[in-house]
Amino acid sequence: PSVTDSTAVSTVVTGITGTVSGPNIVSPSPGGPLPSSAASLPIPPGPGAPSNDAPILPKRIIPDPSNDYENDDHTRSSGGLRGSSYNGIPIPSAHDSQAKKREWLLSMNATLNSTPVGQLDPNALPLSTIMNGWAKQKSSEGARMVEMWLDRVHSEYNAENPGVHPTARMYTMAVDAWAKSNGGAPAARRAEALLERMDRLYREGGGRHEALKPTTGIFNAVINAWARSREKIAPARAEQILAWMEKLRDQGGDDLDISPDKYTFNTVIHAYAKSGAKESAAKAHRILDNMNQMYREGNSSVKPDTITYNVVINAYAKSGGKGAAQEAENLLQRMHLMYDQGDLSVKPNVVTYGAVIDAFAKSMERNAAARADSLLANMVGLHQSDPLRHADLRPNTYVFNTVINAWAKSKERGAAAKAEEMLVAMDRLHASGFPGLKPDAFTYTAVIDAYAKSGYRGAASRADLLLDQMEAKYAAGDQDLKPNTFTYNAVINALAKSGEPGAAARAERVLHNMVNRLRTNGSQDVKPTTINFNTVLDAWAKSGEGEAAAERAEAILEWMDRLNKAGNADVKPDTITFNAVIDAWARSGSRRGPQRAEQILNHMDELYHGGNIDVKPDTYTYNTLINALAKSGDGGSAARAEEILKIMEEKYQKGDKSYKPNTRSHTSVIDAWAKSGEAGAARRAEMILTNLRNLYESEGDPDIKPNVYTANAVMNACAFTKHEEDREEALAMGFRVFDWLDSQTDIKPDAYTFTIMLSVCANLILKEDQQSRFENARMLFQKCCDSGHVNDHVLWKLKLTVNEQEYYQLVGAGVETKAADLDPSWSRTVTMNRRSGDNRNNNWSRNRGRNRHM
């Protein structure tokens, strides 16, 4: 059957999957009522004894946390050596622990060191077993030990020890040890050097080193070392060694029997696949084509097989290039065609499908997730149609997880619900007789991540509920569903970004669960990090719970500091931590917010100059303080915001780029003046914009390029001028800034611009001058319609600017009319992002009009 044919799939999946209710799911956590505010949360735990170190925050009264957690000590059990023996020397069995095997290998090293050169007895020391044992350590140390034993073999041979001589097999073990050591390019170079040494000894030995005759196997091992190195030069080096083999083959003669085989070419292709470069997939494909050509010319040893095709497909998956996923699918189709024509060596298997699906998952192309989903459905259909013939297409957890990951990365509407449908399908297929198909921690984490990225109302609650399900199933004995740091991160992120009521408190509850698991079970896989804490802090900053949220943020920062001082190096307050606390005060609405924010910034500076480089204030820190001053609207706040901007400029001019003022810095100061209500505020705002424009024109630095928000802030300062003596000047400035913005080629007015400018007309043009109000309003509304920015706010401001008759003349409808009722082209820009389709997942669900309860 065709790869894209899913006609048989409906019979496979009918009755298997249900439907996840839509994105507006709100599900309470089954663990009892959740805390809904800062006031209802417990104080974060910390050590009871105060520290003599410098406080992490400037002095104030903070509730003192009461508990702390420590890493549990783990001891390893030990037992006696077991296994066979070699001439009375116990040899560890395959079932012995790595520690026991290493202990035995070290004892062999000690015996070797105590044995004089020339007296090594191979009957007493099993050379191949020892070298192979060190090689299986898969470490640089193990590789060095293999090479040490190889060097000793050479010393024994040179000392005329008749029972010991170096062999090609020993060299191959040494090369393979370096290949599997994860030592990168140095390991690959060492492997290549061993091959060169062996080849030189064989050629220059005058018959003394006949046992070192190079083989195809050692060349393949060196190529494998480069393939595993993941270095950019690895594919080129692999091809150079391949060319060396081909040269030896073409030279012919009885001396050497070296010829690249299927494994050789597969390994070179593997080097390209691991490199991940965009051009690597095409080069891997070229090698595949060359193999096919050589096979057609009679070289049966290089006939491509399923592994060959799988590796090339994997190269496309890792490349991420445009059209890579389609190329991968084309190869899958070719394999199906060849298999149907009788070539059994290229039968697609679950790995093939997994690689093609992965190519679509990583492509980020439109409809990639749906395409991956369809491929999986087709694979399941083939397996179900003939379980014996297609036994190697039996679906497994990995391939389902790959499709779920594709949905998680998709930006399509409803992607999270589709990902959860896949999870439910896995559960039902597993229950119907697929033991290798069972949701695991990655499955749940990917679905949770999909909800976290969806941004839909109720998505965070759904993510939180899935975590609760994982924890309940894990507690009931399902070891595959043990939540890990990534799982908790995804839920915390979902809650932090959701903006749902009580989300910050719930995010902190998840963080407490992580800490508790570490404290009670020593579970290092859920060890919280600074990132977790910072995410929760950001959630509190944006929670809208005012001063209580800011106080909560400070308490969490204190908690982090105590954990760090108690020895947890993974939880250490940094600049982002402090920025989040300052932001919480900036958003708190508290009259003391700006003062406290500046206090904390100054304390950061003290800590930094005291040697704590992790808390150095940066541009974002200062911008957040300026924002706090702007939001306060208190007398003197705008002037202080401008002073802060000057401090940033001075520090930057002295060479510290961490304090570089950017567009946001200037825009926030302008906003501070706009909200100050002080005399001359609009003049100060326009002056800052003018200075910024001049600076950008002279330096061309994109970081200080004025944007629509900067211009809007100045117009806002004009619109809400409160002093009579400033009205005429503010009116002129407002239109002057608007004309500048409208004349730009790369930035243009937005809906808020027109709302503000209509406010300028309504507030600053006298009602007696109705003609001027109408003419300016007509000009603004016409431009707004032409640019597609009409919304209900614009219509509301227009109604406040002109009378009902004039409103009807401009709009063509009464004052109660909504933007949605007018010409769609008038609001095309503001509604463009809302027009995305919702293609449901037809492969894995049915009865889509019904809600499904998990």
Side-chain angles (χ1 to χ4, degrees), residues 84-338:
S84 61
S85 62
Y86 187 90
N87 283 348
I89 302 173
I91 299 176
S93 74
H95 303 290
D96 278 313
S97 68
Q98 286 297 321
K100 288 298 179 185
K101 293 176 183 177
R102 178 178 168 77
E103 181 182 344
W104 180 79
L105 290 169
L106 290 173
S107 72
M108 294 298 99
N109 281 6
T111 302
L112 179 69
N113 291 334
S114 63
T115 303
V117 173
Q119 298 180 24
L120 190 152
D121 182 2
N123 294 316
L125 289 174
L127 297 176
S128 293
T129 302
I130 296 168
M131 294 175 72
N132 189 47
W134 277 117
K136 288 183 176 180
Q137 294 292 302
K138 296 183 179 181
S139 65
S140 295
E141 181 199 36
R144 287 194 300 272
M145 292 300 102
V146 176
E147 201 167 336
M148 179 196 76
W149 279 86
L150 178 62
D151 289 341
R152 179 58 183 267
V153 167
H154 272 288
S155 297
E156 294 292 324
Y157 187 59
N158 292 334
E160 306 297 334
N161 185 335
V164 181
H165 64 276
T167 64
R169 182 170 180 267
M170 291 178 179
Y171 271 85
T172 303
M173 278 194 288
V175 168
D176 194 53
W178 283 114
K180 296 176 180 177
S181 69
N182 296 316
R189 291 191 182 94
R190 192 65 209 142
E192 192 171 337
L194 284 167
L195 171 60
E196 291 171 349
R197 174 188 177 188
M198 176 178 140
D199 181 62
R200 184 178 65 256
L201 288 172
Y202 171 72
R203 294 184 180 281
E204 298 175 359
R208 177 174 167 76
H209 292 293
E210 284 299 312
L212 296 183
K213 181 179 179 181
T215 63
T216 299
I218 193 169
F219 276 89
N220 288 349
V222 175
I223 293 174
N224 187 41
W226 279 111
R228 287 171 172 263
S229 73
R230 296 181 181 272
E231 294 291 322
K232 289 183 178 180
I233 63 169
R237 290 301 301 149
E239 287 231 47
Q240 287 173 354
I241 296 166
L242 171 61
W244 182 8
M245 294 179 72
E246 290 175 332
K247 180 180 178 182
L248 292 174
R249 177 201 61 197
D250 295 341
Q251 287 176 348
D254 297 330
D255 277 355
L256 294 176
D257 182 19
I258 295 176
S259 179
D261 56 17
K262 178 171 57 181
Y263 180 83
T264 313
F265 286 101
N266 285 355
T267 310
V268 176
I269 293 172
H270 189 55
Y272 277 112
K274 280 188 172 291
S275 75
K278 289 185 177 181
E279 68 278 3
S280 292
K283 292 179 179 178
H285 201 153
R286 170 182 55 80
I287 295 173
L288 170 63
D289 291 340
N290 289 343
M291 291 173 71
N292 276 315
Q293 180 62 32
M294 286 187 284
Y295 172 67
R296 286 192 293 269
E297 292 173 354
N299 188 349
S300 60
S301 69
V302 297
K303 182 183 184 300
D305 58 9
T306 298
I307 294 175
T308 314
Y309 279 88
N310 286 354
V311 178
V312 176
I313 290 172
N314 191 43
Y316 277 114
K318 292 183 180 298
S319 73
K322 186 176 180 179
Q326 188 57 56
E327 288 289 347
E329 187 175 359
N330 291 343
L331 287 173
L332 172 61
Q333 290 174 332
R334 188 201 295 184
M335 293 175 73
H336 269 293
L337 179 62
M338 294 169 67

Side-chain angles (χ1 to χ4, degrees), residues 492-506:
I492 290 173
N493 285 333
L495 290 165
K497 294 176 182 177
S498 70
E500 296 176 8
R506 289 153 62 197

Side-chain angles (χ1 to χ4, degrees), residues 468-621:
D468 286 337
Q469 291 176 1
M470 280 186 76
E471 290 182 322
K473 290 181 178 181
Y474 173 64
D478 191 339
Q479 296 298 310
D480 293 330
L481 291 182
K482 182 180 182 181
N484 54 41
T485 298
F486 298 105
T487 314
Y488 285 105
N489 282 350
V491 177
I492 290 173
N493 285 333
L495 290 165
K497 294 176 182 177
S498 70
E500 296 176 8
R506 289 153 62 197
E508 189 175 341
R509 184 206 65 168
V510 175
L511 181 60
H512 276 275
N513 288 348
M514 293 181 73
V515 173
N516 290 337
R517 278 189 57 182
L518 178 64
R519 184 178 66 242
T520 57
N521 303 326
S523 300
Q524 296 296 312
D525 54 338
V526 292
K527 194 171 185 179
T529 66
T530 298
I531 294 174
N532 301 127
F533 279 85
N534 287 349
T535 305
V536 172
L537 283 169
D538 189 58
W540 278 116
K542 296 173 181 175
S543 67
E545 295 192 29
E547 189 169 341
E551 295 282 2
R552 192 69 196 170
E554 286 206 13
I556 293 171
L557 173 52
E558 291 275 2
W559 181 20
M560 293 179 68
D561 185 49
R562 293 174 187 272
L563 291 174
N564 181 254
K565 288 175 180 176
N568 189 336
D570 294 313
V571 178
K572 184 179 183 183
D574 58 14
T575 299
I576 296 173
T577 312
F578 278 90
N579 287 349
V581 177
I582 293 174
D583 192 34
W585 281 110
R587 296 169 182 263
S588 69
S590 170
R591 292 184 63 85
R592 64 192 184 97
Q595 181 182 5
R596 186 58 181 162
E598 189 165 352
Q599 246 188 332
I600 295 171
L601 185 150
N602 290 336
H603 191 66
M604 288 177 70
D605 205 45
E606 292 172 5
L607 291 172
Y608 170 66
H609 285 100
N612 188 348
I613 61 174
D614 295 321
V615 297
K616 181 182 181 182
D618 59 11
T619 298
Y620 186 90
T621 316

Side-chain angles (χ1 to χ4, degrees), residues 129 196 232 298 359 362 425 453 497 569 615 630 656 682 741 789 817:
T129 302
E196 291 171 349
K232 289 183 178 180
K362 291 176 178 175
K453 293 175 180 176
K497 294 176 182 177
V615 297
D656 194 333
L741 176 62
H789 285 104
T817 305

